[in-house]
Amino acid sequence: MKIGIIGYGKMGKAIERIALDSGHEIVAILDENDESFDTLKKADVAIEFTSPSSAFTNLKKCIDIGVPVLSGTTGWLGQQPALIEYCKEHDGTYFYASNYSIGVNLFFKINELVAELMNSHTEYQPHVEEIHHVHKKDSPSGTGITLAERMLKHLTNKKNWLEGDSTNSEDLSIYSKRGGEVPGTHSAVYASEMDNITLTHTAYTRDSFALGAIKVAEWLKNKKGILTMSDFMGM
């Protein structure tokens, strides 16, 4: 498969290495603000990991040239509804996930089941904790937000997520920490005065995210529409 990479930071370099190890060809590598998108016309799929300020424009350009694109950029999702409408209008292919790790997505599903079970046990107060490296540009992390939003689907006494403490009992708090070179640790905590239940996913390397992105790219080739990890994993 021919892959184009948009964004050549740590994730872009990990994707390049794993794609080549998997027998794929890299036909274009663009920096996040690169204007030479025509080079991506040779690609079967484009993989975009850039920054919140450039993601929307980069993804729109991929749709314009007819290249299926998957993105893992977080912190820009206020613009995603507009991109989805643009993709539909132009019969494009757009795949988004806040985290491409297969393990994280299994963790999301397991925690949804736990949240559903915990919903009637109001003595337990839920919250989300996430830890990332000091270079992380957004807070809370996209993965932390996804974790919280999927909990909210099952916790009827919680209405919104909020970063940090809240005096509103209907808020689900997300606590973010930044330090060192931690790839990503996420926890769903259900705490009572008597005990705690904690589910945690810990990433040891970015390779799990990069490998997941490559697997999605293989699956995405020749598909159309707006797709997510639920479509890819069948859950």
Side-chain angles (χ1 to χ4, degrees), residues 179-196:
E181 297 294 333
V182 180
T185 299
H186 296 86
S187 298
V189 182
Y190 302 84
S192 79
E193 293 181 358
M194 296 172 291
D195 56 9
N196 284 4

Side-chain angles (χ1 to χ4, degrees), residues 135-190:
H135 314 291
K136 181 74 171 166
K137 295 179 181 178
D138 54 325
S139 179
S141 68
T143 302
I145 292 171
T146 300
L147 184 61
E149 288 179 341
R150 294 179 74 158
M151 291 167 72
L152 288 171
K153 291 194 300 183
H154 304 284
L155 298 169
T156 55
N157 61 332
K158 299 292 182 183
K159 304 303 179 186
N160 307 287
W161 65 263
L162 179 81
E163 187 171 16
D165 292 323
S166 174
T167 57
N168 187 340
S169 63
E170 293 186 340
D171 288 335
L172 177 67
S173 289
I174 304 177
Y175 297 102
S176 302
K177 297 179 182 178
R178 299 290 177 262
E181 297 294 333
V182 180
T185 299
H186 296 86
S187 298
V189 182
Y190 302 84

Side-chain angles (χ1 to χ4, degrees), residues 12-72:
K13 291 179 172 66
I15 287 166
E16 177 189 30
R17 174 170 48 79
I18 290 176
L20 293 173
D21 288 346
S22 301
H24 300 303
E25 180 184 357
I26 305 299
V27 296
I29 297 175
L30 281 67
D31 289 331
E32 65 176 79
N33 295 308
D34 204 311
E35 295 295 326
S36 56
F37 270 70
D38 282 351
T39 60
L40 287 176
K41 290 180 178 179
K42 299 177 289 183
D44 296 310
V45 177
I47 301 176
E48 194 266 357
F49 279 81
T50 59
S51 69
S53 62
S54 62
F56 180 85
T57 299
N58 291 334
L59 297 170
K60 188 171 175 286
K61 287 179 179 178
C62 289
I63 293 167
D64 286 341
I65 63 175
V67 177
V69 60
L70 64 93
S71 174

